[in-house]
Amino acid sequence: MTGQVVIPSTSELGQLAINELDFREEVIYFIIVDRFCDGSSDEEERAGLWDRGERQGLYDKTWLQWGKYWGGNLDGIIQNVPYLKELGITAVWLSPLFEQVDDMQFERAPMHGYWTKDFRRINPRFIRHDDCNTLERSHTLADLVQALHGAGIKLILDVVCNHSSPDINGVKGRVYDDGELIADFYDDKNNFYYHHPEITDWEDEFQLIHGEMAGLATFNEKNIDYRNFIKSAIKSWIDVGVDALRVDTLKHMPIWFWQEFTSDMKAHRADLFMFGEYGFGKPWDARTVAYANDTGMSILDFGLCDAIRFAFSGSEPGGFQLVNDLLSHDHVYKRANELVTFIDNHDMPRFLSICPDERLLELATVLLFCLRGVPCVFYGTEQYLVNNTEGGRDPYNRPMMEQFDTNSQLFRLVAAMSQLRRTNQALSLGGCQERYISEDIYAFERRYRDSWALCLFNKGEERTITLEGLSLPEGPHHCWVSGADVNVQAGKLESLHLGARSMHVLAQAGPRVCGPAVAVFQLNGVDTKPGEHLVLTGDCPELGEWDLTRAYGLEYVNRNTWIAEVPFQQTAGAILHCKFVILGSDGFFQHENLTSRRLLLPPSGRIKFDCVWGSH
């Protein structure tokens, strides 16, 4: 029968579609569980039932001994879900929840979560005293998942595949699988570990992969039994409601391992989003770029973090030029707009420790929300949380969350910018064009389809400037953050007065692409020339049925990235064949050098396709 739509079997789907969660519109909030909120009841406190570990003495309820547990737990997060929702958070990244070695080394307990004892059990110090710490039976964990999902907030689990625990009182790397001992560094019958010395040369590939960091027992990823174990353990967390993974120490395991790991995780849950920690990686470092592009997951953007911190603190010369220069390298990434961006985290002094000016923290945070990538807020930043002991280095960058003030200026700014990102796709999907740059002043436009934003920051003294070459509509515009009104005439903002340490965000959201099924196509690997643009053509009405005059246009993001959201109605739920074409202003066109792409569309909802020019 001609014209019949053939729906492939389930076994074919993985070859045809990528159904990964699109995190580009998300706002992440990173919580160190032990330092966020103690949700224990008064009765538990009085009875001393908050000390739930095997060994007593690892808690310090005075919050003076920085290496010990301070009492933050999952109930504390559950109680503050309304706070997170009002802040505009859409995804919560929790420090590792795995059961830890219940002991101390050099006056430090593993409150951070990176000395895993059992990958299938929860740290009992984070759950209720009468609860079970196995995944399937923990009521506390189930309540957390329900509370977050009920508020429309995704749960991101921090996972550690590179190492277990260091030597503590003669025990090292002793790992259990739901209570059953399966590995012991000092009795390594199953060959779960490498046994190489500490890393001394951080440029040596062999040492990075095989050597130890800080004495941590380093897993042997060549061992298939280890790989099967760690993948199975992480899948069990996905099964209880984890929506995305943050992956620790990405640079210390080979790319082939992460490719296998990512493939298996996404085979288990097709829409799983993953991002990894490639510590202090920069876009001009080839190894950083390889891990960002070839592991199947995104990475944390340490390069942008450094540029913003240097720009505001003045610890490196250049000011805002440092940020603009960093962004000029975006073309090296396949998915620069999915890098997870931040200005501080648990491994560096907080922003206020290196730049002790709350107004500049406000400017830096709003700038983070205006730039490409998925913004991540470190817990307490919205409350100006800081401790400057020893320069604010670890562990003093992890103070207890002391207040939950929904009226703080930075709380309100984060909430406003979160709403703006959710409503204006220019900030999540659009390209970026610099309009004015100096050491103290930075102005840029973001644009996607009919959505646009003009973002302007002055970290110095008051100034008057003129912005030219703007593509904003004529007339008055209202600023989202300052409340001021400005007037655009003939593509100019003439004699614009900038107060000292001020910012303006002008924005307008256009209509969103709608349809029974919407596919987001992102294309990399093509370097276009001025006057050229990209279209998508194919064998369906929505893509012009191979007629280039009716093909679907893509939006420019950077010189290596184009993007389009395509609504499908007639072809929803069917297989389509398509390819990308470069069109020039002189009638020139160039097709991809492949037969065609064969893709499966869902009958409804959204799907994303990440493509490389000329490659399936």
Side-chain angles (χ1 to χ4, degrees):
M1 177 178 176
T2 59
Q4 183 177 6
V5 176
V6 178
I7 304 299
S9 66
T10 303
S11 62
E12 294 181 90
L13 300 186
Q15 302 172 14
L16 301 172
I18 302 170
N19 190 27
E20 180 183 308
L21 282 175
D22 196 334
F23 252 62
R24 283 173 285 215
E25 293 184 10
E26 306 292 350
V27 175
I28 300 172
Y29 190 81
F30 175 27
I31 293 176
I32 303 294
V33 176
D34 179 65
R35 301 295 162 91
F36 186 64
C37 179
D38 184 351
S40 304
S41 66
D42 292 340
E43 292 76 12
E44 287 179 311
E45 292 282 352
R46 285 193 292 270
L49 296 174
W50 39 262
D51 196 348
R52 306 178 184 95
E54 297 174 357
R55 178 183 168 186
Q56 301 295 296
L58 270 62
Y59 267 110
D60 172 34
K61 299 300 287 185
T62 68
W63 302 351
L64 296 175
Q65 300 179 65
W66 287 78
K68 291 187 176 182
Y69 287 95
W70 283 2
N73 49 41
L74 298 190
D75 272 331
I77 298 170
I78 293 169
Q79 293 168 15
N80 284 287
V81 166
Y83 170 89
L84 297 170
K85 186 171 179 63
E86 187 174 346
L87 184 59
I89 300 305
T90 63
V92 169
W93 158 18
L94 300 183
S95 57
L97 300 179
F98 310 116
E99 183 176 14
Q100 300 291 292
V101 174
D102 211 46
D103 209 336
M104 295 185 67
Q105 182 196 57
F106 310 128
E107 302 303 317
R108 290 198 182 192
M111 47 70 57
H112 44 68
Y114 296 100
W115 297 350
T116 305
K117 173 183 175 181
D118 196 321
F119 283 90
R120 288 193 205 267
R121 292 191 175 181
I122 308 167
N123 190 336
R125 297 180 180 273
F126 294 160
I127 60 177
R128 297 164 199 145
H129 77 276
D130 57 352
D131 196 8
C132 177
N133 76 327
T134 58
L135 293 184
E136 296 80 7
R137 297 169 58 193
S138 171
H139 296 294
T140 317
L141 179 62
D143 289 348
L144 174 70
V145 171
Q146 183 178 12
L148 289 173
H149 288 175
I153 299 174
K154 299 176 177 65
L155 174 58
I156 304 172
L157 179 69
D158 197 326
V159 302
V160 189
C161 300
N162 172 249
H163 59 263
S164 56
S165 56
D167 186 305
I168 306 175
N169 298 321
V171 175
K172 179 175 179 176
R174 195 171 286 177
V175 172
Y176 296 79
D177 184 8
D178 200 14
E180 179 183 351
L181 181 66
I182 60 169
D184 185 334
F185 184 86
Y186 291 136
D187 186 20
D188 194 11
K189 299 191 228 28
N190 297 324
N191 195 31
F192 260 45
Y193 292 106
Y194 290 123
H195 295 267
H196 294 280
E198 289 264 349
I199 300 171
T200 57
D201 182 355
W202 292 82
E203 302 300 320
D204 184 289
E205 179 78 10
F206 182 89
Q207 290 190 42
L208 282 179
I209 300 297
H210 301 86
E212 289 189 354
M213 293 184 302
L216 294 161
T218 302
F219 285 123
N220 171 18
E221 73 280 339
K222 297 184 181 70
N223 183 339
I224 185 61
D225 293 331
Y226 160 71
R227 299 205 307 274
N228 288 339
F229 158 70
I230 197 67
K231 290 185 292 186
S232 176
I234 303 306
K235 288 174 187 176
S236 65
W237 287 84
I238 295 171
D239 290 341
V240 297
V242 166
D243 301 291
L245 300 178
R246 181 269 187 185
V247 181
D248 190 55
T249 52
L250 198 68
K251 69 196 296 182
H252 295 288
M253 302 185 81
I255 285 179
W256 68 260
F257 169 80
W258 294 122
Q259 290 170 336
E260 178 183 313
F261 181 83
T262 303
S263 296
D264 276 22
M265 293 302 105
K266 292 183 179 180
H268 190 70
R269 177 170 174 171
D271 64 350
L272 189 73
F273 178 72
M274 299 172 62
F275 62 99
E277 176 212 32
Y278 191 100
F280 306 98
K282 305 294 192 298
W284 44 85
D285 171 54
R287 194 171 188 269
T288 299
V289 175
Y291 274 73
N293 288 345
D294 300 334
T295 57
M297 69 179 87
S298 184
I299 65 170
L300 287 153
D301 193 350
F302 280 87
L304 183 60
C305 174
D306 280 354
I308 294 175
R309 286 163 70 96
F310 292 156
F312 282 96
S313 69
S315 58
E316 294 280 342
F320 281 127
Q321 190 63 56
L322 296 171
V323 178
N324 202 49
D325 288 348
L326 186 285
L327 296 174
S328 71
H329 289 82
D330 273 1
H331 64 279
V332 304
Y333 294 116
K334 289 181 180 176
R335 300 192 296 177
N337 53 17
E338 290 188 44
L339 298 175
V340 176
T341 59
F342 59 102
I343 58 173
D344 52 10
N345 70 12
H346 59 317
D347 289 326
M348 61 181 64
R350 286 179 176 262
F351 186 93
L352 285 175
S353 290
I354 58 122
C355 185
D357 184 319
E358 292 184 355
R359 181 55 178 172
L360 292 184
L361 173 61
E362 293 167 6
L363 265 66
T365 302
V366 173
L367 174 62
L368 184 75
F369 276 77
C370 289
L371 295 173
R372 59 93 181 113
V374 184
C376 178
V377 178
F378 193 29
Y379 81 98
T381 294
E382 76 284 4
Q383 301 294 343
Y384 309 97
L385 183 65
V386 69
N387 185 294
N388 289 320
T389 305
E390 295 185 8
R393 293 185 295 274
D394 174 16
Y396 302 103
N397 56 356
R398 308 170 187 181
M400 198 72 184
M401 185 82 165
E402 296 178 358
Q403 62 182 16
F404 295 84
D405 180 8
T406 58
N407 291 313
S408 90
Q409 173 70 5
L410 191 46
F411 182 99
R412 303 315 308 167
L413 283 171
V414 170
M417 292 306 300
S418 297
Q419 180 184 358
L420 182 59
R421 282 188 62 89
R422 290 195 301 274
T423 57
N424 191 317
Q425 290 180 297
L427 296 179
S428 56
L429 300 180
C432 182
Q433 294 292 322
E434 174 253 306
R435 297 302 184 201
Y436 191 102
I437 185 82
S438 70
E439 185 165 328
D440 288 337
I441 299 174
Y442 190 27
F444 54 89
E445 275 190 73
R446 305 284 310 277
R447 181 171 288 278
Y448 175 76
R449 295 176 61 88
D450 294 326
S451 295
W452 57 264
L454 175 67
C455 310
L456 197 156
F457 298 84
N458 174 26
K459 65 182 183 67
E461 300 304 316
E462 64 177 322
R463 290 277 305 278
T464 298
I465 65 170
T466 295
L467 296 183
E468 299 182 289
L470 302 178
S471 58
L472 277 60
E474 296 281 301
H477 298 284
H478 189 71
C479 175
W480 270 69
V481 294
S482 70
D485 291 314
V486 298
N487 193 49
V488 176
Q489 292 183 328
K492 286 185 180 183
L493 278 174
E494 192 83 42
S495 300
L496 177 64
H497 177 259
L498 302 177
R501 298 184 305 171
S502 63
M503 52 187 161
H504 297 282
V505 179
L506 313 177
Q508 180 175 298
R512 286 180 174 253
V513 172
C514 297
V518 175
V520 183
F521 291 86
Q522 183 159 292
L523 176 67
N524 293 107
V526 55
D527 195 351
T528 54
K529 301 178 182 63
E532 295 179 339
H533 65 280
L534 266 294
V535 298
L536 181 64
T537 186
D539 62 352
C540 60
E542 295 89 344
L543 299 181
E545 296 176 317
W546 302 116
D547 180 354
L548 293 183
T549 64
R550 295 162 47 214
Y552 200 93
L554 278 74
E555 301 288 321
Y556 177 88
V557 178
N558 62 52
R559 73 184 209 201
N560 180 39
T561 306
W562 293 72
I563 194 168
E565 294 174 287
V566 185
F568 289 92
Q569 184 164 358
Q570 293 170 263
T571 319
I575 293 173
L576 65 87
H577 298 84
C578 61
K579 65 166 56 179
F580 297 97
V581 182
I582 300 173
L583 298 183
S585 56
D586 58 358
F588 164 84
F589 61 86
Q590 178 185 351
H591 290 74
E592 290 183 278
N593 186 22
L594 48 77
T595 51
S596 67
R597 300 172 185 274
R598 185 171 183 261
L599 305 174
L600 172 68
L601 295 171
S604 62
R606 289 174 66 89
I607 194 167
K608 66 193 290 277
F609 296 106
D610 290 320
C611 307
V612 178
W613 173 264
S615 174
H616 288 285

